[in-house]
Amino acid sequence: MTRQPSPKTGSVRTRVTIDGTPDYPAVLDPANRWNGFVSPFFTLDTVRELAAETLDVATKYGYDCADTIHVIDGGTGSDGAPRAVVLHIRWMYLEDEGPAQVTSIINPREEDGLYGIGGWEWTWSISTWDCACSSWYYHETDPCPNCGGERPAEYELAA
């Protein structure tokens, strides 16, 4: 099946990446593009993975060239659901603009609780997979339209 968008939002479940690896399960509207790049939304668990990756990159290459994502947990709400605050910090602008201006709180979308990370700002692209028949497809395409081969099982789609 290829890109079966949600009738309400035009969104598809897929995987996204910046520069190939790693890639993350995401939900996005393929038509919502910034300079050709997509604007994905993630579950809180995926945001945690992304946060760990951004901290690794900042530690390895320096905070002056890397944004970081942070998940701050706050127990559970009255409904028993986990509470968390997600922050996006743009370290390279800290000295000129100050902490309040370089930090964004990322609220989950009301309709599905997903978090938009890096949309209209980071160079996210839809991940692809290579079929045994030498064709490649966007990640949400399954099976291969050319030969019927299946997308590798280890690549789950976003919930």
Side-chain angles (χ1 to χ4, degrees):
M1 270 181 236
T2 304
R3 285 206 183 136
Q4 295 182 353
S6 161
K8 290 184 179 178
T9 64
S11 294
V12 296
R13 296 176 343 148
T14 189
R15 293 183 75 87
V16 295
T17 186
I18 296 175
D19 298 331
T21 56
D23 69 353
Y24 302 94
V27 173
L28 58 86
D29 176 349
N32 181 12
R33 303 241 174 187
W34 166 76
N35 292 332
F37 301 103
V38 294
S39 298
F41 290 83
F42 305 96
T43 64
L44 185 57
D45 287 340
T46 301
V47 172
R48 291 179 199 287
E49 292 176 34
L50 184 57
E53 178 68 20
T54 62
L55 288 173
D56 287 347
V57 168
T59 300
K60 185 174 182 179
Y61 299 107
Y63 282 80
D64 286 340
C65 66
D67 291 4
T68 56
I69 302 298
H70 303 266
V71 178
I72 302 168
D73 292 299
T76 57
S78 58
D79 60 356
R83 294 188 309 182
V85 174
V86 176
L87 302 176
H88 178 175
I89 302 175
R90 296 160 187 85
W91 293 101
M92 66 188 75
Y93 304 112
L94 181 63
E95 286 183 27
D96 294 335
E97 299 183 24
Q101 287 73 27
V102 303
T103 304
S104 298
I105 297 171
I106 301 173
N107 293 311
R109 293 195 301 194
E110 285 188 29
E111 65 266 26
D112 56 15
L114 299 177
Y115 294 82
I117 306 289
W120 291 81
E121 189 173 1
W122 292 2
T123 56
W124 288 112
S125 59
I126 298 172
S127 297
T128 61
W129 62 278
D130 296 321
C131 185
C133 72
S134 299
S135 300
W136 67 267
Y137 298 97
Y138 286 120
H139 193 80
E140 70 273 13
T141 305
D142 187 30
C144 170
N146 189 37
C147 73
E150 295 182 6
R151 181 183 64 240
E154 67 269 17
Y155 296 110
E156 68 193 55
L157 295 176

